[in-house]
Amino acid sequence: MSGAYLDKSLKGRDFLTISDFTAEEIRLLIDAAHDLKRDLKKGIPHTILQGKSLGMIFTKPSTRTRVSFEVGMYQLGGYALFLSSQDIQLRRGESLPDTAATLERYLDGIMIRTFDQEDVDELAQYASIPVINGLTDIVHPTQVVADLMTVEEHQGKLAGLKLAYIGDGNNVAHSLLQICARMGVHMTIACPQGYEPDVSVLQAARKDAAKSGVQLEVVEDPVEAVKGADAVYTDIWASMGQEKEQEKRAQVFQHYQVNTELLKGANEDVIVLHCLPAHRGEEITDEVIDGPHSVVFDEAENRLHAHKAIMALLIG
């Protein structure tokens, strides 16, 4: 990772939602992630965050988010501290501003994975150190940096490509809308009625898309959505906090499975993405996730490199 990245660093910025960043800034993050991955494979070390510490607050469980941030911080020379909901008094016996005022005196950055976007925004408001949104119910911004990094890695470009998202209009769909609008990627979401993306998120993304000639569409028919797609993306039908709706959602989304038959309508060199964990046999089949079009585990690996880029540029 060259010094040029640090000269253009986003030092001190919060990473709350993709819409807070320009296309040029997102490009910087993706380029840095590519370079950090390349250097790691070559055995070139980077200690950009030597002596720095990251507090990781989790009120939602995680595999990839925790491991990628913790390992990424270690690889950059820093230290990551895991803080579960049992370890920290987030809105439980202590005000959030008081928690922020305390943590900023110990740490150089905070990553938080939680339910309410308001908690993340308020933490960023009161903490003078960078706050990184590891996921909320409304957006998943760190995930989609890794997603577009993966698409570019396999398709050679971003601008002008088409991404089809099949399933629930959830936090991942929201962040994909935001980043596709900024980076010149056309996106079509296929979802049942009543499960569309948040109207305000969609409208804001369409305003961005109009400036760059990007088409963002929401349809009901998954077959229509994948026509001409360069990438097909899916996620579980019932996210964390929606477990009681699992049986109902399984019925509603039964025709929204990414399978071999659906992929026939996409481009021949289509790639398939999934943010994981996957419910195999529901939103995606074994044949697809383990098949030649799948880049799901490259995508999972790229969480490490994308998160390292975010931390390096915000905290370094």
Side-chain angles (χ1 to χ4, degrees), residues 151-182:
V151 171
E152 187 170 63
E153 200 171 56
H154 286 271
Q155 299 291 27
K157 64 176 185 176
L158 291 177
L161 295 180
K162 177 183 175 181
L163 184 148
Y165 177 93
I166 312 300
D168 187 28
N170 60 13
N171 49 4
V172 174
H174 291 159
S175 287
L176 283 170
L177 283 167
Q178 293 172 337
I179 200 167
C180 286
R182 292 284 165 99

mmCIF file of all heavy atoms in Angstrom, residues 151-182:
data_model
loop_
_atom_site.group_PDB
_atom_site.id
_atom_site.type_symbol
_atom_site.label_atom_id
_atom_site.label_comp_id
_atom_site.label_asym_id
_atom_site.label_seq_id
_atom_site.Cartn_x
_atom_site.Cartn_y
_atom_site.Cartn_z
ATOM 1 N N VAL A 151 -16.581 -7.931 -7.450
ATOM 2 C CA VAL A 151 -17.116 -7.821 -8.811
ATOM 3 C C VAL A 151 -16.031 -7.325 -9.757
ATOM 4 O O VAL A 151 -15.824 -7.885 -10.855
ATOM 5 C CB VAL A 151 -18.339 -6.880 -8.840
ATOM 6 C CG1 VAL A 151 -18.758 -6.599 -10.284
ATOM 7 C CG2 VAL A 151 -19.507 -7.483 -8.063
ATOM 8 N N GLU A 152 -15.319 -6.289 -9.354
ATOM 9 C CA GLU A 152 -14.264 -5.733 -10.208
ATOM 10 C C GLU A 152 -13.142 -6.741 -10.432
ATOM 11 O O GLU A 152 -12.583 -6.834 -11.529
ATOM 12 C CB GLU A 152 -13.712 -4.462 -9.567
ATOM 13 C CG GLU A 152 -12.731 -3.700 -10.448
ATOM 14 C CD GLU A 152 -12.403 -2.349 -9.866
ATOM 15 O OE1 GLU A 152 -11.828 -2.292 -8.761
ATOM 16 O OE2 GLU A 152 -12.724 -1.331 -10.514
ATOM 17 N N GLU A 153 -12.820 -7.484 -9.402
ATOM 18 C CA GLU A 153 -11.767 -8.489 -9.467
ATOM 19 C C GLU A 153 -12.081 -9.539 -10.538
ATOM 20 O O GLU A 153 -11.192 -9.986 -11.264
ATOM 21 C CB GLU A 153 -11.671 -9.153 -8.095
ATOM 22 C CG GLU A 153 -10.396 -9.879 -7.769
ATOM 23 C CD GLU A 153 -10.385 -10.292 -6.291
ATOM 24 O OE1 GLU A 153 -11.327 -10.986 -5.842
ATOM 25 O OE2 GLU A 153 -9.452 -9.905 -5.595
ATOM 26 N N HIS A 154 -13.361 -9.922 -10.632
ATOM 27 C CA HIS A 154 -13.741 -11.002 -11.547
ATOM 28 C C HIS A 154 -14.235 -10.508 -12.908
ATOM 29 O O HIS A 154 -14.101 -11.233 -13.898
ATOM 30 C CB HIS A 154 -14.804 -11.882 -10.887
ATOM 31 C CG HIS A 154 -14.249 -12.759 -9.816
ATOM 32 N ND1 HIS A 154 -13.752 -14.024 -10.061
ATOM 33 C CD2 HIS A 154 -14.094 -12.555 -8.481
ATOM 34 C CE1 HIS A 154 -13.315 -14.556 -8.931
ATOM 35 N NE2 HIS A 154 -13.516 -13.692 -7.957
ATOM 36 N N GLN A 155 -14.804 -9.311 -12.951
ATOM 37 C CA GLN A 155 -15.341 -8.808 -14.216
ATOM 38 C C GLN A 155 -14.459 -7.741 -14.862
ATOM 39 O O GLN A 155 -14.731 -7.314 -15.980
ATOM 40 C CB GLN A 155 -16.766 -8.246 -14.008
ATOM 41 C CG GLN A 155 -17.785 -9.273 -13.513
ATOM 42 C CD GLN A 155 -18.116 -10.331 -14.552
ATOM 43 O OE1 GLN A 155 -17.319 -10.645 -15.416
ATOM 44 N NE2 GLN A 155 -19.305 -10.915 -14.463
ATOM 45 N N GLY A 156 -13.433 -7.300 -14.150
ATOM 46 C CA GLY A 156 -12.458 -6.385 -14.736
ATOM 47 C C GLY A 156 -12.830 -4.921 -14.721
ATOM 48 O O GLY A 156 -12.017 -4.068 -15.072
ATOM 49 N N LYS A 157 -14.059 -4.614 -14.317
ATOM 50 C CA LYS A 157 -14.514 -3.228 -14.266
ATOM 51 C C LYS A 157 -15.772 -3.151 -13.417
ATOM 52 O O LYS A 157 -16.298 -4.168 -12.959
ATOM 53 C CB LYS A 157 -14.805 -2.708 -15.670
ATOM 54 C CG LYS A 157 -15.957 -3.440 -16.365
ATOM 55 C CD LYS A 157 -16.281 -2.835 -17.714
ATOM 56 C CE LYS A 157 -17.517 -3.503 -18.341
ATOM 57 N NZ LYS A 157 -17.912 -2.861 -19.610
ATOM 58 N N LEU A 158 -16.245 -1.937 -13.206
ATOM 59 C CA LEU A 158 -17.526 -1.721 -12.524
ATOM 60 C C LEU A 158 -18.506 -0.963 -13.411
ATOM 61 O O LEU A 158 -19.650 -1.369 -13.573
ATOM 62 C CB LEU A 158 -17.303 -0.955 -11.213
ATOM 63 C CG LEU A 158 -16.587 -1.700 -10.087
ATOM 64 C CD1 LEU A 158 -16.390 -0.785 -8.886
ATOM 65 C CD2 LEU A 158 -17.370 -2.945 -9.669
ATOM 66 N N ALA A 159 -18.064 0.148 -13.956
ATOM 67 C CA ALA A 159 -18.957 1.023 -14.718
ATOM 68 C C ALA A 159 -19.605 0.287 -15.875
ATOM 69 O O ALA A 159 -18.932 -0.382 -16.670
ATOM 70 C CB ALA A 159 -18.188 2.237 -15.230
ATOM 71 N N GLY A 160 -20.921 0.394 -15.957
ATOM 72 C CA GLY A 160 -21.667 -0.210 -17.053
ATOM 73 C C GLY A 160 -22.140 -1.629 -16.813
ATOM 74 O O GLY A 160 -22.930 -2.162 -17.595
ATOM 75 N N LEU A 161 -21.660 -2.262 -15.738
ATOM 76 C CA LEU A 161 -22.124 -3.615 -15.420
ATOM 77 C C LEU A 161 -23.546 -3.581 -14.863
ATOM 78 O O LEU A 161 -24.024 -2.535 -14.419
ATOM 79 C CB LEU A 161 -21.204 -4.263 -14.385
ATOM 80 C CG LEU A 161 -19.756 -4.546 -14.791
ATOM 81 C CD1 LEU A 161 -19.011 -5.186 -13.631
ATOM 82 C CD2 LEU A 161 -19.678 -5.440 -16.022
ATOM 83 N N LYS A 162 -24.188 -4.747 -14.861
ATOM 84 C CA LYS A 162 -25.511 -4.879 -14.258
ATOM 85 C C LYS A 162 -25.461 -5.892 -13.129
ATOM 86 O O LYS A 162 -25.001 -7.023 -13.314
ATOM 87 C CB LYS A 162 -26.561 -5.319 -15.286
ATOM 88 C CG LYS A 162 -27.944 -5.540 -14.652
ATOM 89 C CD LYS A 162 -28.983 -6.042 -15.627
ATOM 90 C CE LYS A 162 -30.298 -6.349 -14.899
ATOM 91 N NZ LYS A 162 -31.352 -6.863 -15.816
ATOM 92 N N LEU A 163 -25.954 -5.492 -11.972
ATOM 93 C CA LEU A 163 -26.067 -6.380 -10.812
ATOM 94 C C LEU A 163 -27.540 -6.628 -10.531
ATOM 95 O O LEU A 163 -28.323 -5.677 -10.423
ATOM 96 C CB LEU A 163 -25.377 -5.763 -9.597
ATOM 97 C CG LEU A 163 -25.328 -6.614 -8.322
ATOM 98 C CD1 LEU A 163 -24.046 -6.310 -7.544
ATOM 99 C CD2 LEU A 163 -26.527 -6.359 -7.408
ATOM 100 N N ALA A 164 -27.910 -7.889 -10.414
ATOM 101 C CA ALA A 164 -29.283 -8.256 -10.059
ATOM 102 C C ALA A 164 -29.291 -8.777 -8.626
ATOM 103 O O ALA A 164 -28.521 -9.684 -8.290
ATOM 104 C CB ALA A 164 -29.820 -9.322 -11.000
ATOM 105 N N TYR A 165 -30.128 -8.192 -7.803
ATOM 106 C CA TYR A 165 -30.261 -8.627 -6.415
ATOM 107 C C TYR A 165 -31.607 -9.324 -6.269
ATOM 108 O O TYR A 165 -32.657 -8.735 -6.585
ATOM 109 C CB TYR A 165 -30.170 -7.427 -5.472
ATOM 110 C CG TYR A 165 -30.365 -7.777 -4.012
ATOM 111 C CD1 TYR A 165 -29.286 -8.054 -3.189
ATOM 112 C CD2 TYR A 165 -31.646 -7.845 -3.458
ATOM 113 C CE1 TYR A 165 -29.465 -8.390 -1.857
ATOM 114 C CE2 TYR A 165 -31.844 -8.188 -2.134
ATOM 115 C CZ TYR A 165 -30.751 -8.452 -1.334
ATOM 116 O OH TYR A 165 -30.941 -8.786 -0.017
ATOM 117 N N ILE A 166 -31.595 -10.561 -5.769
ATOM 118 C CA ILE A 166 -32.806 -11.370 -5.670
ATOM 119 C C ILE A 166 -33.125 -11.619 -4.194
ATOM 120 O O ILE A 166 -32.332 -12.251 -3.482
ATOM 121 C CB ILE A 166 -32.633 -12.732 -6.382
ATOM 122 C CG1 ILE A 166 -32.029 -12.554 -7.788
ATOM 123 C CG2 ILE A 166 -33.959 -13.479 -6.442
ATOM 124 C CD1 ILE A 166 -32.864 -11.708 -8.724
ATOM 125 N N GLY A 167 -34.269 -11.115 -3.722
ATOM 126 C CA GLY A 167 -34.655 -11.387 -2.341
ATOM 127 C C GLY A 167 -35.188 -10.178 -1.613
ATOM 128 O O GLY A 167 -35.779 -9.276 -2.206
ATOM 129 N N ASP A 168 -34.976 -10.161 -0.319
ATOM 130 C CA ASP A 168 -35.534 -9.136 0.563
ATOM 131 C C ASP A 168 -34.839 -7.794 0.360
ATOM 132 O O ASP A 168 -33.608 -7.728 0.273
ATOM 133 C CB ASP A 168 -35.370 -9.602 2.015
ATOM 134 C CG ASP A 168 -36.063 -8.696 3.012
ATOM 135 O OD1 ASP A 168 -37.068 -8.054 2.636
ATOM 136 O OD2 ASP A 168 -35.600 -8.626 4.160
ATOM 137 N N GLY A 169 -35.612 -6.720 0.344
ATOM 138 C CA GLY A 169 -35.047 -5.375 0.225
ATOM 139 C C GLY A 169 -34.510 -4.901 1.556
ATOM 140 O O GLY A 169 -35.019 -3.946 2.156
ATOM 141 N N ASN A 170 -33.434 -5.529 2.017
ATOM 142 C CA ASN A 170 -32.935 -5.336 3.376
ATOM 143 C C ASN A 170 -31.749 -4.378 3.437
ATOM 144 O O ASN A 170 -31.492 -3.617 2.502
ATOM 145 C CB ASN A 170 -32.582 -6.701 3.989
ATOM 146 C CG ASN A 170 -31.504 -7.430 3.191
ATOM 147 O OD1 ASN A 170 -30.836 -6.854 2.328
ATOM 148 N ND2 ASN A 170 -31.323 -8.706 3.472
ATOM 149 N N ASN A 171 -30.978 -4.449 4.530
ATOM 150 C CA ASN A 171 -29.853 -3.552 4.718
ATOM 151 C C ASN A 171 -28.769 -3.726 3.650
ATOM 152 O O ASN A 171 -28.162 -2.744 3.199
ATOM 153 C CB ASN A 171 -29.251 -3.722 6.123
ATOM 154 C CG ASN A 171 -28.976 -5.171 6.511
ATOM 155 O OD1 ASN A 171 -29.151 -6.086 5.717
ATOM 156 N ND2 ASN A 171 -28.552 -5.367 7.750
ATOM 157 N N VAL A 172 -28.522 -4.967 3.237
ATOM 158 C CA VAL A 172 -27.538 -5.212 2.187
ATOM 159 C C VAL A 172 -28.010 -4.602 0.870
ATOM 160 O O VAL A 172 -27.242 -3.943 0.158
ATOM 161 C CB VAL A 172 -27.265 -6.722 2.021
ATOM 162 C CG1 VAL A 172 -26.352 -6.984 0.828
ATOM 163 C CG2 VAL A 172 -26.633 -7.287 3.293
ATOM 164 N N ALA A 173 -29.284 -4.802 0.540
ATOM 165 C CA ALA A 173 -29.849 -4.223 -0.680
ATOM 166 C C ALA A 173 -29.730 -2.703 -0.653
ATOM 167 O O ALA A 173 -29.420 -2.063 -1.668
ATOM 168 C CB ALA A 173 -31.309 -4.640 -0.835
ATOM 169 N N HIS A 174 -29.970 -2.094 0.510
ATOM 170 C CA HIS A 174 -29.884 -0.635 0.635
ATOM 171 C C HIS A 174 -28.476 -0.138 0.331
ATOM 172 O O HIS A 174 -28.285 0.816 -0.442
ATOM 173 C CB HIS A 174 -30.281 -0.201 2.048
ATOM 174 C CG HIS A 174 -31.719 -0.400 2.347
ATOM 175 N ND1 HIS A 174 -32.204 -0.485 3.634
ATOM 176 C CD2 HIS A 174 -32.807 -0.545 1.547
ATOM 177 C CE1 HIS A 174 -33.508 -0.660 3.606
ATOM 178 N NE2 HIS A 174 -33.898 -0.709 2.350
ATOM 179 N N SER A 175 -27.476 -0.775 0.935
ATOM 180 C CA SER A 175 -26.104 -0.330 0.710
ATOM 181 C C SER A 175 -25.648 -0.616 -0.721
ATOM 182 O O SER A 175 -24.866 0.156 -1.302
ATOM 183 C CB SER A 175 -25.160 -0.982 1.720
ATOM 184 O OG SER A 175 -25.339 -0.416 3.009
ATOM 185 N N LEU A 176 -26.128 -1.711 -1.304
ATOM 186 C CA LEU A 176 -25.817 -1.979 -2.708
ATOM 187 C C LEU A 176 -26.408 -0.915 -3.619
ATOM 188 O O LEU A 176 -25.754 -0.472 -4.575
ATOM 189 C CB LEU A 176 -26.334 -3.365 -3.106
ATOM 190 C CG LEU A 176 -25.507 -4.558 -2.640
ATOM 191 C CD1 LEU A 176 -26.256 -5.859 -2.887
ATOM 192 C CD2 LEU A 176 -24.143 -4.602 -3.329
ATOM 193 N N LEU A 177 -27.628 -0.485 -3.347
ATOM 194 C CA LEU A 177 -28.222 0.605 -4.124
ATOM 195 C C LEU A 177 -27.357 1.856 -4.050
ATOM 196 O O LEU A 177 -27.090 2.512 -5.066
ATOM 197 C CB LEU A 177 -29.624 0.932 -3.597
ATOM 198 C CG LEU A 177 -30.758 -0.024 -3.980
ATOM 199 C CD1 LEU A 177 -31.992 0.262 -3.138
ATOM 200 C CD2 LEU A 177 -31.097 0.103 -5.467
ATOM 201 N N GLN A 178 -26.907 2.182 -2.850
ATOM 202 C CA GLN A 178 -26.108 3.389 -2.651
ATOM 203 C C GLN A 178 -24.776 3.320 -3.385
ATOM 204 O O GLN A 178 -24.365 4.274 -4.044
ATOM 205 C CB GLN A 178 -25.883 3.615 -1.155
ATOM 206 C CG GLN A 178 -27.147 3.965 -0.389
ATOM 207 C CD GLN A 178 -26.947 3.991 1.120
ATOM 208 O OE1 GLN A 178 -26.029 3.365 1.642
ATOM 209 N NE2 GLN A 178 -27.797 4.711 1.825
ATOM 210 N N ILE A 179 -24.092 2.177 -3.285
ATOM 211 C CA ILE A 179 -22.760 2.094 -3.892
ATOM 212 C C ILE A 179 -22.844 1.907 -5.404
ATOM 213 O O ILE A 179 -22.020 2.452 -6.146
ATOM 214 C CB ILE A 179 -21.917 0.986 -3.228
ATOM 215 C CG1 ILE A 179 -20.426 1.226 -3.494
ATOM 216 C CG2 ILE A 179 -22.355 -0.414 -3.669
ATOM 217 C CD1 ILE A 179 -19.493 0.378 -2.642
ATOM 218 N N CYS A 180 -23.843 1.181 -5.885
ATOM 219 C CA CYS A 180 -24.002 1.025 -7.333
ATOM 220 C C CYS A 180 -24.314 2.367 -7.992
ATOM 221 O O CYS A 180 -23.786 2.677 -9.064
ATOM 222 C CB CYS A 180 -25.088 0.000 -7.642
ATOM 223 S SG CYS A 180 -24.601 -1.711 -7.343
ATOM 224 N N ALA A 181 -25.158 3.162 -7.355
ATOM 225 C CA ALA A 181 -25.504 4.480 -7.888
ATOM 226 C C ALA A 181 -24.275 5.362 -8.014
ATOM 227 O O ALA A 181 -24.140 6.134 -8.974
ATOM 228 C CB ALA A 181 -26.538 5.150 -6.990
ATOM 229 N N ARG A 182 -23.364 5.253 -7.041
ATOM 230 C CA ARG A 182 -22.154 6.083 -7.056
ATOM 231 C C ARG A 182 -21.102 5.567 -8.043
ATOM 232 O O ARG A 182 -20.338 6.355 -8.607
ATOM 233 C CB ARG A 182 -21.544 6.135 -5.657
ATOM 234 C CG ARG A 182 -22.385 6.887 -4.622
ATOM 235 C CD ARG A 182 -22.282 8.393 -4.817
ATOM 236 N NE ARG A 182 -23.316 9.102 -4.099
ATOM 237 C CZ ARG A 182 -23.149 9.688 -2.908
ATOM 238 N NH1 ARG A 182 -21.982 9.624 -2.310
ATOM 239 N NH2 ARG A 182 -24.142 10.349 -2.345
#
